[in-house]
Amino acid sequence: MKLITVIFLSLAFLLNFPTASKAHTREDLQAFQRSIIDYRWRLNPAFKKVKREKTSYIIVHTSELGLKKTLRVISLGKRMDDRRSTQGGHTHYVIARNGRTFRILDKKYEADHAGLSMWNGEADISKVSIGIELVGYHYTPITEHQYRSVGMLIDILQGVYGLEDRAILTHSQVAYGKPNRWIEKNHRGRKRCAKNFIRAKAGLGPTWVYDPDVRAGRLVADLQLAEVFYGRKEFYAVVDEANIISKSNTAWSIAGGDYDSRTTVYKFPNGRTYTGDQIAATVGWNRIPPQTLVLLSQETSKELIKNEGSIKTTSDGLSAWSFAGKAYNHKTTIYFLPSGRIKYGSMISDWDDLPASTRLIIGYRGPYEIRKDQTAYRIAGKKYKDGKTIYYLPSKKLLVGNKIKEFNQLPLGTLIFLPSR
Ligand SMILES: [Zn+2]
């Protein structure tokens, strides 16, 4: 008997079996559970609660939005087009970028989170799974706070439902699409959701090394996702500026099945914006210029249009990341908070912590203060009336140089910011 145990343990060691080595203590888990914010009161009353009969999987998503809008869309529903909207209940839990966790729907009910989906021959994964939304984008890093919270949440749920580590999958793994203009068969790749989820960081061990539905011929693989999830290389996802169109980064590889949706917005390098449903008729799918920015889950492109120029304004749908990308925390990205405070990117812990209506300028240095002995001309030289020279008035107004008529009337204490290059 003893010998058998020894052999088994050696085998387990050699084969690298999953061992119960989760890092959380019971106290950690209890404290985490108490910290979950109950957000069920916000659920759309039209959402129909149906008890789930079976729980086979936990599905991890990235919300592709900031926190405020994620909570709204997930709880109340999303506008699909001018008339239709969904009825909310789009996940069980939301985890903010600072790790704060919200309960959207009691875990015993079915959430409408996976859409057209299949795993190991079983379709409609929403009916047999729990959904967890991580606030953020599939092309930005998930935060350490989020990994800590999602790790503990998964640990608790695994205990409740008796699930192994391989029962934890991402939405991009289980979603599939019907044939479209890019692919003739049912296929993976409809969603890119949580393709940046690094399992080990959430304390998860071994998982599927192949896609069972692709292997069985039920679906066609998506090459990019297959590389991420089943490739030999360890994948540390985040390609630079991964929501920008290039030869290798197509509309399809950024937006998946949402490529032609009216909620996907394409911002061309010349400043023009189009929604996904306009591209075919007005531009043509082969003619999207490189450097086009692709934004998912937008409800309106009007926000984008009013954000032309050097001064950008964040909103529910447009985060500091949407404008500045990786430069959001550089010291040359300067934020003007609604409170009147000025912060450099290097003072920001995460782009999602900034309130809506924060204004920002990217690639700037300053401030240089207008004083009696220091005029705008002394500070900026001939560029003082340039469209790229920024003036921050004591009234909190931000102006660009070419919109100012009377420079003599600028109050003392006005701050000037100049392009850093
Ligand atoms: Zn998803």
Side-chain angles (χ1 to χ4, degrees):
M1 188 67 183
K2 237 181 194 168
L3 186 66
I4 288 169
T5 311
V6 169
I7 290 170
F8 176 76
L9 283 175
S10 325
L11 264 177
F13 179 76
L14 283 171
L15 297 174
N16 198 11
F17 274 11
T19 44
S21 64
K22 302 256 158 135
H24 318 112
T25 65
R26 249 179 76 158
E27 290 72 33
D28 281 349
L29 294 180
Q30 284 166 349
F32 170 76
Q33 201 149 21
R34 279 194 302 272
S35 78
I36 297 177
I37 296 163
D38 196 344
Y39 215 68
R40 289 175 292 184
W41 57 274
R42 188 84 195 282
L43 192 66
N44 188 337
F47 177 78
K48 226 177 122 227
K49 290 176 183 164
V50 176
K51 276 204 182 144
R52 197 175 51 254
E53 286 176 10
K54 190 170 88 170
T55 306
S56 310
Y57 304 106
I58 296 170
I59 306 299
V60 179
H61 303 254
T62 42
S63 69
E64 312 301 324
L65 293 167
L67 174 61
K68 216 174 127 196
K69 198 164 179 193
T70 298
L71 287 172
R72 198 188 80 211
V73 166
I74 290 287
S75 298
L76 296 175
K78 48 191 149 194
R79 267 167 257 161
M80 304 290 280
D81 58 39
D82 295 333
R83 272 139 299 170
R84 288 182 311 141
S85 61
T86 63
Q87 309 207 305
H90 292 305
T91 195
H92 295 91
Y93 302 93
V94 166
I95 302 181
R97 295 181 62 78
N98 60 10
R100 229 180 310 137
T101 302
F102 298 79
R103 180 180 293 109
I104 306 295
L105 173 68
D106 193 298
K107 63 181 180 302
K108 69 180 175 218
Y109 298 118
E110 289 175 6
D112 176 16
H113 66 100
L116 192 59
S117 51
M118 179 191 294
W119 191 255
N120 208 9
E122 185 170 26
D124 204 356
I125 297 302
S126 291
K127 288 205 169 340
V128 293
S129 67
I130 288 185
I132 303 175
E133 282 280 352
L134 304 177
V135 175
Y137 306 104
H138 69 73
Y139 45 81
T140 62
I142 292 163
T143 69
E144 298 303 319
H145 297 293
Q146 286 177 307
Y147 277 118
R148 188 177 144 76
S149 294
V150 77
M152 290 196 279
L153 181 56
I154 287 173
D155 206 348
I156 291 168
L157 295 171
Q158 284 184 296
V160 172
Y161 295 103
L163 299 175
E164 294 174 0
D165 284 1
R166 61 194 244 129
I168 289 79
L169 298 161
T170 67
H171 192 195
S172 41
Q173 279 180 286
V174 302
Y176 77 92
K178 294 263 168 70
N180 63 21
R181 72 180 300 280
W182 312 83
I183 304 157
E184 294 174 341
K185 293 181 176 160
N186 285 350
H187 55 272
R188 293 290 183 209
R190 183 175 69 80
K191 287 285 173 186
R192 306 277 146 183
C193 203
K195 85 181 202 317
N196 52 348
F197 180 65
I198 300 168
R199 297 173 57 90
K201 287 198 174 195
L204 292 168
T207 180
W208 294 81
V209 293
Y210 61 91
D211 181 327
D213 300 302
V214 168
R215 183 167 283 191
R218 288 182 285 264
L219 298 174
V220 177
D222 177 272
L223 292 183
Q224 188 195 52
L225 292 178
E227 182 64 30
V228 170
F229 293 114
Y230 317 110
R232 279 156 181 268
K233 277 181 288 183
E234 283 218 49
F235 185 76
Y236 289 102
V238 189
V239 189
D240 283 352
E241 319 265 32
N243 60 329
I244 292 176
I245 299 259
S246 67
K247 254 188 202 150
S248 57
N249 214 25
T250 61
W252 172 251
S253 59
I254 297 168
D258 295 327
Y259 73 97
D260 62 351
S261 159
R262 73 184 282 280
T263 62
T264 300
V265 171
Y266 294 82
K267 186 179 181 200
F268 285 23
N270 65 10
R272 289 224 180 114
T273 59
Y274 300 90
T275 51
D277 59 339
Q278 296 173 329
I279 295 280
T282 56
V283 183
W285 287 105
N286 306 326
R287 296 196 164 172
I288 302 177
Q291 296 299 313
T292 292
L293 185 72
V294 185
L295 294 166
L296 307 180
S297 298
Q298 302 294 309
E299 285 184 336
T300 165
S301 54
K302 281 182 198 134
E303 283 177 339
L304 284 166
I305 290 156
K306 80 173 184 239
N307 266 300
E308 289 310 316
S310 307
I311 303 164
K312 323 284 185 187
T313 306
T314 67
S315 63
D316 275 358
L318 291 170
S319 66
W321 183 283
S322 317
F323 295 118
K326 282 205 314 179
Y328 82 88
N329 62 358
H330 292 183
K331 66 175 194 297
T332 56
T333 300
I334 300 169
Y335 295 93
F336 303 87
L337 275 67
S339 68
R341 280 194 69 182
I342 296 174
K343 282 190 173 182
Y344 295 93
S346 46
M347 298 158 69
I348 305 282
S349 59
D350 191 75
W351 46 262
D352 206 34
D353 293 340
L354 293 159
S357 300
T358 294
R359 291 165 295 173
L360 65 144
I361 54 179
I362 301 156
Y364 276 84
R365 62 190 163 94
Y368 306 97
E369 189 177 344
I370 296 184
R371 295 191 305 255
K372 269 188 194 151
D373 60 337
Q374 192 166 245
T375 62
Y377 186 78
R378 285 281 288 274
I379 294 165
K382 278 184 276 181
K383 295 268 168 102
Y384 76 100
K385 54 182 175 186
D386 194 279
K388 290 211 163 95
T389 301
I390 307 288
Y391 291 80
Y392 187 53
L393 277 57
S395 64
K396 297 187 203 169
K397 210 167 189 182
L398 271 171
L399 293 169
V400 289
N402 61 2
K403 292 278 162 64
I404 298 173
K405 290 198 182 97
E406 291 294 336
F407 283 86
N408 295 332
Q409 283 172 21
L410 284 172
L412 298 180
T414 293
L415 304 177
I416 298 183
F417 295 85
L418 301 169
S420 57
R421 277 186 294 179

